[in-house]
């Protein structure tokens, strides 16, 4: 009886955490404050002689074996509670309509119970052939591996027929989260086991504090196929977790609100590894318009990921406005390509950038 009650409490802890994350992100100011993504400090060089027509600009890319119409990732956000089904459904429809990739939010809850499996499954239902990623936290990966149970993650991948598994690295968030587990021992071994045994490519991402060159190198050496730098300058997960803390705890943690490597710095660092290593690169953390996406591609990224603007718009303004955001992003990207004389993404990737 006692064990059953404990299990129920644990269930509701993960479920209500995912719900409170969305509520806070949508209703509070949770961006980094004094640290910027860095996109406003660099400029694509204007080409007064582009020698291409806007109509022939091609934004498509092949990524992890699938075709995307745009180099955009709807970044991992949610799942595992009642309303998450509606949110993931809308985001999956968006990804299918515009040919973008989509990451599901952490699927830890789906390992604890089947209750909200539909909140994840809906993504594959609404986007049957698109590029969709599973998601699990690094601490969970280490824990499962230490018990010889990494195979349990296979169920999460199968649930949505995922094309890849994202492992999120979130030491800052674990540190500041009221129920966090700041113990990263065994994470590298756990991710290596995922690479060897799960049968899908592994993507490693941060959640807004950035991945350094050294960390990325370790990850690629153990077989991680894609690095999503998820840098600082957008949503601050330190900020979100500080707001979830009791008032008397907040003052102590407040200085960490802006901790992290800004997105552009992280991209500049990690792309250096491309000289000697083969891997996919995703830019995320504070991508706010299509020019940021174009700059990301010119900085070596294959895709650019966006989280908060999409969920805030959906929750505050509804599904139609999601279309508006996506259309604006794509038009801004296409115009940036035209204005730099880049007919396609490989041409954009070769464009020089200037520090302002
Ligand atoms: C409501 C919300 C929930 C999130 N949950 C997850 C998650 O479960 N797993 C994960 O890897 N990242 C998660 N993230 C982080 C985002 O994927 C992204 O890395 C980060 O928010 C930075 O992007 P942004 O500045 O565009 O918001 C979440 C973001 C938001 C806004």
């Amino acid at each position: 009886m006692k064990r059953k009650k404990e299990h129920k409490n644990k269930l509701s802890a993960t479920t209500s955490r995912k719900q409170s994350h969305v509520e806070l992100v949508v209703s509070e100011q949770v961006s980094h404050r004094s640290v910027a993504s860095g996109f406003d400090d660099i400029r694509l060089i204007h080409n007064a002689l582009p020698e291409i027509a806007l109509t022939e600009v091609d934004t498509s890319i092949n990524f992890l074996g699938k075709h995307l119409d745009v180099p955009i990732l709807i970044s991992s956000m949610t799942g595992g509670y009642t309303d998450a089904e509606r949110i993931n459904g809308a985001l999956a429809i968006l990804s299918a309509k515009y040919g973008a990739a989509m990451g599901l939010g952490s699927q830890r809850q789906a390992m604890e119970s089947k209750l909200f499996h539909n909140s994840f499954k809906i993504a594959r239902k609404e986007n049957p052939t698109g590029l969709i990623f599973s998601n699990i936290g690094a601490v969970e990966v280490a824990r499962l591996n230490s018990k010889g149970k990494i195979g349990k993650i296979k169920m999460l991948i199968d649930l949505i027929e995922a094309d890849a598994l994202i492992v999120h690295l979130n030491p800052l968030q674990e540190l500041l989260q009221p129920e966090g587990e700041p113990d990263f021992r065994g994470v590298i071994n756990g991710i290596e086991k995922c690479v060897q045994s799960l049968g899908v490519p592994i993507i490693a991402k941060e959640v807004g504090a950035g991945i350094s060159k050294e960390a990325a190198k370790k990850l690629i050496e153990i077989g991680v196929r894609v690095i999503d730098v998820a840098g600082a300058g957008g949503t601050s997960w330190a900020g979100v977790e500080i707001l979830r803390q009791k008032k008397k705890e907040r003052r102590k943690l407040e200085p960490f609100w802006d901790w992290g490597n800004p997105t552009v710095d992280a991209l500049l660092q990690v792309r250096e590894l491309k000289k000697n290593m083969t891997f996919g690169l995703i830019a995320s953390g504070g991508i706010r318009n299509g020019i940021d996406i174009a700059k990301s591609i010119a900085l070596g990224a294959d895709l650019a990921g966006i989280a908060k603007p999409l969920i805030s718009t959906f929750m505050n303004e509804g599904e139609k406005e999601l279309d508006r955001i996506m259309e604006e992003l794509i038009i801004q990207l296409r115009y940036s390509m035209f204005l730099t004389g880049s007919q396609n993404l490989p041409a954009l990737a070769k464009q020089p950038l200037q520090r302002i």
Side-chain angles (χ1 to χ4, degrees):
M1 184 67 191
K2 190 170 169 239
R3 278 194 58 187
K4 205 170 167 192
K5 193 168 168 211
E6 273 171 13
H7 185 59
K8 203 169 158 222
N9 287 342
K10 205 173 145 209
L11 264 188
S12 52
T14 316
T15 298
S16 67
R17 182 166 65 243
K18 289 308 286 178
Q19 190 162 0
S20 77
H21 281 158
V22 171
E23 283 164 8
L24 276 170
V25 163
V26 166
S27 61
E28 301 284 335
Q29 200 294 100
V30 291
S31 300
H32 288 100
R33 290 165 173 164
S34 59
V35 63
S37 60
F39 288 106
D40 289 344
D41 299 332
I42 49 173
R43 179 193 294 141
L44 283 160
I45 296 172
H46 175 68
N47 184 349
L49 278 175
E51 279 291 328
I52 54 169
L54 179 65
T55 48
E56 57 179 8
V57 165
D58 175 6
T59 59
S60 69
I61 181 176
N62 281 317
F63 194 71
L64 294 179
K66 281 194 178 169
H67 172 92
L68 295 175
D69 292 331
V70 288
I72 297 177
L73 167 68
I74 297 172
S75 284
S76 299
M77 280 184 276
T78 201
Y81 66 99
T82 312
D83 200 32
E85 187 171 341
R86 187 176 66 96
I87 300 171
N88 280 339
L91 295 174
I93 289 170
L94 196 72
S95 69
K97 184 168 174 186
Y98 293 94
M102 173 176 174
L104 271 300
S106 171
Q107 290 174 270
R108 181 173 166 182
Q109 194 281 332
M111 273 202 283
E112 296 168 0
S113 137
K114 289 185 176 167
L115 202 56
F116 301 112
H117 275 195
N118 284 345
S119 69
F120 297 104
K121 280 181 173 171
I122 185 83
R124 185 50 84 195
K125 195 170 153 221
E126 297 291 4
N127 188 353
T129 57
L131 196 60
I132 299 185
F133 307 141
S134 272
N135 188 296
I136 190 78
V139 172
E140 193 62 20
V141 164
R143 189 190 358 255
L144 288 168
N145 191 38
S146 72
K147 294 181 187 160
K149 290 184 176 168
I150 218 74
K152 279 185 97 178
I153 298 175
K154 186 82 173 65
M155 181 273 285
L156 305 180
I157 295 166
D158 293 345
L159 199 63
I160 55 165
E161 297 161 57
D163 298 287
L165 170 72
I166 294 177
V167 178
H168 65 261
L169 312 172
N170 60 341
L172 175 65
Q173 185 186 17
E174 293 287 356
L175 204 56
L176 305 188
Q177 188 166 278
E179 60 284 74
E181 297 170 89
D183 182 352
F184 265 59
R185 288 172 295 182
V187 165
I188 297 179
N189 280 346
I191 295 177
E192 189 167 22
K193 191 75 185 167
C194 290
V195 169
Q196 293 162 353
S197 60
L198 294 177
V200 290
I202 305 299
I203 301 172
K205 85 184 268 284
E206 238 287 346
V207 298
I211 294 186
S212 66
K213 181 179 171 186
E214 291 71 24
K217 185 163 181 282
K218 281 185 194 151
L219 291 160
I220 300 159
E221 278 170 354
I222 58 168
V224 166
R225 289 263 295 275
V226 179
I227 303 290
D228 178 346
V229 295
T235 307
S236 163
W237 278 90
V240 175
E241 299 301 352
I242 288 168
L243 292 177
R244 292 184 61 241
Q245 287 280 359
K246 291 197 178 74
K247 273 221 168 84
K248 66 176 180 9
E249 289 292 310
R250 289 188 195 167
R251 221 170 84 176
K252 175 177 74 190
L253 305 176
E254 196 70 23
F256 290 97
W257 190 291
D258 279 326
W259 180 280
N261 307 340
T263 302
V264 168
D265 280 8
L267 282 172
L268 288 168
Q269 282 191 36
V270 176
R271 78 164 177 182
E272 277 183 39
L273 299 171
K274 285 207 165 185
K275 287 178 199 152
N276 305 309
M277 302 172 111
T278 306
F279 61 98
L281 183 58
I282 302 176
S284 73
I287 305 274
R288 295 296 177 257
N289 58 54
I291 305 178
D292 293 345
I293 299 174
K295 288 175 182 173
S296 298
I297 306 292
L299 284 167
D302 299 291
L303 308 183
I306 304 180
K308 185 191 181 297
L310 296 174
I311 202 155
S312 292
T313 301
F314 175 67
M315 298 300 277
N316 293 326
E317 299 167 61
E319 207 158 340
K320 258 213 163 119
E321 291 301 296
L322 275 181
D323 280 308
R324 178 187 55 79
I325 293 215
M326 204 56 140
E327 276 157 22
E328 282 175 8
L329 289 171
I330 295 168
I331 285 172
Q332 290 158 354
L333 169 64
R334 291 178 65 82
Y335 284 11
S336 304
M337 291 174 72
F338 174 71
L339 292 171
T340 52
S342 313
Q343 194 171 331
N344 49 37
L345 295 178
L348 179 58
K350 290 197 194 105
Q351 291 297 330
L353 287 149
Q354 227 173 25
R355 280 246 174 225
I356 296 173

